[in-house]
Amino acid sequence: MTKVTMTINGKPRSGDAEGRTLLSSFLRDELGLTGTHVGCDTSQCGACVVHVNGKAVKSCTMFAAEADGAEVDTIEGQANADGSLNVIQQAFQDYHGLQCGFCTPGMVMSAAALLKENPIPSEAEIRHYLEGNICRCTGYHNIVRAILAASGQDVPAVAAE
Amino acid sequence: MNNFEFVKPSTVEEASAALQSEGAQALGGGQTLLPTMKQRLASPETLVSLTGVEGMVGVSASDGTVTVGGTTTHAQVAAEAASAYPALAALAGQIGDPAVRNRGTIGGSLANNDPAACYPSAALGSGASISTNKRNIAADDYFQGMFETALEEDEIITSVSFPVPEAASYQKFLQPASRFALTGVFVAKFPGGVRVAVTGASNNGVFRWTEAEEALSKEFRADALMDLRINHLNMISDLHGSQEYRAHLVGVMTRRAVESAS
């Protein structure tokens, strides 16, 4: 075991990690931040996406020790200071961008990363950026609509492909 | 996964020394190695992280060469090589998904040499030089078969230098579940001739399609390839595609690469 320290959602946090401890396990099991979900064991589903030093990464595919000293942002830090939902979260609610909600933490974190890089993405750019986030409920249409809304754009009825 | 000792050196010398211990393995971005370790297909005793090694990150361009540091992520190459070598940047921007591109590194991809990885085709297709802590290795000597390279156990890719061609294109036929190339072809037109490198297709990993290179060096048009067929006997056959299908794709993707080369 070694001690690992990182700044999570703006606050310094530390805990014990083995070499093999994944960042997702460290967040969930060591620090109790269970908003980050683990939906697969193969690095494919994207439910565990967090930001490390401002970049979206799969926290199940990074060792906690690799994030020692890093700035980490998780879904728990996304709400506004007064506790209300941020613009992306609110848009997911308004546009029914979730059903079971399991993939939602990763979807919101990926959407946040996208809008930071590209504040006014097209529908195609949104779909392309979400390649690594799997949702088994919504068929994605309402997630795409929510992100269009969160970026301040008009939200057309999205036709099935 | 099985436990291991995690070390994160800050210099190439320390990293190389750490790799000399029994059961040690280098860790780049981990986007292949971690899933492999979760399945216990790899169980290193010591994992030597290279992401803290100084001087191995970034893209630079000078005198017709683009040099990429060994721990540079795919996302960085996609952004920083876009003007100096657009085909290379475009290839990097098609690897995996955005989160994978933020972690995965060029050195990790080339050291692993997955037979369906994208970067080996860019390195071989460009005639790149792979620099390690010990020597420079020409791409033609570096790739030695599926998951096999010229690297020694304690050798670390510090940078990769790509001669920038007059025109180039990478065309990837996506395997949408894995996001690897079902077949991908990198075509690069240099003043001295054309290079064509194929990934995802062969049991021997990335290879040069020399017959296509000869035809395209005489005439750089997709039509120049119309009579060429590549032998399917050493191609990969799996549930995603037969040998014959992959052989066919090599021709199709090469022609598309020639048509889109810029």
Side-chain angles (χ1 to χ4, degrees):
Chain A
M1 288 282 193
T2 51
K3 192 174 178 190
V4 173
T5 301
M6 52 192 90
T7 303
I8 299 177
N9 301 323
K11 298 193 183 75
R13 299 289 297 267
S14 57
D16 291 327
E18 293 184 310
R20 64 181 166 182
T21 302
L22 301 170
L23 178 58
S24 53
S25 311
F26 182 77
L27 293 169
R28 291 176 54 83
D29 303 337
E30 181 71 14
L31 301 182
L33 294 169
T34 55
T36 296
H37 289 174
V38 178
C40 72
D41 197 28
T42 50
S43 305
Q44 284 168 311
C45 81
C48 68
V49 167
V50 301
H51 298 181
V52 175
N53 294 329
K55 301 287 184 192
V57 306
K58 296 179 186 186
S59 61
C60 80
T61 312
M62 178 173 184
F63 293 117
E66 281 281 61
D68 192 27
E71 304 259 345
V72 177
D73 295 303
T74 72
I75 190 69
E76 286 90 347
Q78 293 296 295
N80 296 320
D82 65 0
S84 61
L85 299 180
N86 79 3
V87 65
I88 297 170
Q89 293 170 309
Q90 187 62 52
F92 269 68
Q93 187 182 77
D94 293 344
Y95 287 87
H96 202 66
L98 62 148
Q99 289 180 28
C100 88
F102 194 89
C103 73
T104 311
M107 287 288 180
V108 169
M109 296 310 290
S110 281
L114 165 64
L115 296 184
K116 196 162 69 174
E117 270 178 39
N118 181 359
I120 313 284
S122 66
E123 182 197 329
E125 287 170 336
I126 293 170
R127 289 184 184 278
H128 189 65
Y129 197 88
L130 295 180
E131 248 183 344
N133 291 80
I134 293 174
C135 172
R136 297 293 77 168
C137 300
T138 63
Y140 303 97
H141 293 325
N142 287 346
I143 293 172
V144 174
R145 296 176 78 219
I147 297 171
L148 282 168
S151 63
Q153 302 183 80
D154 289 339
V155 181
V158 176
E161 285 178 330
Chain B
M1 68 179 73
N2 294 321
N3 205 13
F4 54 85
E5 187 191 353
F6 179 85
V7 294
K8 193 166 181 175
S10 58
T11 67
V12 177
E13 292 73 25
E14 289 167 7
S16 179
L19 284 171
Q20 285 167 10
S21 69
E22 183 74 21
Q25 189 167 350
L27 172 67
Q31 301 303 288
T32 296
L33 185 54
L34 267 73
T36 307
M37 290 171 66
K38 287 181 187 180
Q39 295 183 56
R40 302 196 178 184
L41 295 172
S43 294
E45 288 170 35
T46 302
L47 212 48
V48 182
S49 168
L50 301 179
T51 52
V53 174
E54 291 162 5
M56 279 178 32
V57 184
V59 178
S60 60
S62 66
D63 297 335
T65 300
V66 166
T67 301
V68 182
T71 57
T72 310
T73 64
H74 311 326
Q76 286 173 289
V77 174
E80 295 173 25
S83 58
Y85 195 169
L88 178 68
L91 174 146
Q94 292 174 58
I95 298 171
D97 58 51
V100 166
R101 293 195 286 273
N102 281 334
R103 290 292 301 162
T105 66
I106 188 170
S109 174
L110 293 177
N112 190 48
N113 192 21
D114 188 294
C118 297
Y119 263 131
S121 71
L124 190 61
S126 306
S129 173
I130 292 137
S131 299
T132 75
N133 51 321
K134 297 184 172 178
R135 55 189 167 143
N136 297 323
I137 310 170
D140 284 318
D141 302 324
Y142 175 84
F143 299 103
Q144 300 190 346
M146 186 182 281
F147 297 113
E148 296 289 332
T149 71
L151 291 178
E152 295 165 11
E153 292 291 323
D154 59 345
E155 201 165 6
I156 294 163
I157 297 174
T158 52
S159 67
V160 186
S161 294
F162 296 86
V164 179
E166 296 172 339
S169 176
Y170 176 63
Q171 292 294 312
K172 175 181 184 177
F173 195 91
L174 187 74
Q175 203 285 76
S178 71
R179 303 187 191 91
F180 276 86
L182 190 61
T183 287
V185 178
F186 197 98
V187 170
K189 179 176 183 285
F190 289 95
V194 176
R195 292 173 71 102
V196 177
V198 180
T199 189
S202 168
N203 278 317
N204 290 334
V206 69
F207 69 94
R208 285 173 66 185
W209 186 14
T210 49
E211 292 86 353
E213 291 181 350
E214 286 164 20
L216 291 170
S217 295
K218 286 182 198 142
E219 186 185 16
F220 193 71
R221 291 174 56 224
D223 288 350
L225 301 169
M226 289 312 284
D227 296 331
L228 282 185
R229 294 287 178 275
I230 192 160
N231 192 312
H232 65 267
L233 289 177
N234 203 25
M235 296 287 168
I236 297 169
S237 184
D238 59 22
L239 76 168
H240 306 297
S242 64
Q243 295 178 315
E244 292 83 354
Y245 183 62
R246 280 187 165 83
H248 178 70
L249 273 182
V250 172
V252 173
M253 301 318 281
T254 305
R255 292 196 292 276
R256 286 187 191 173
V258 172
E259 284 165 359
S260 62
S262 59

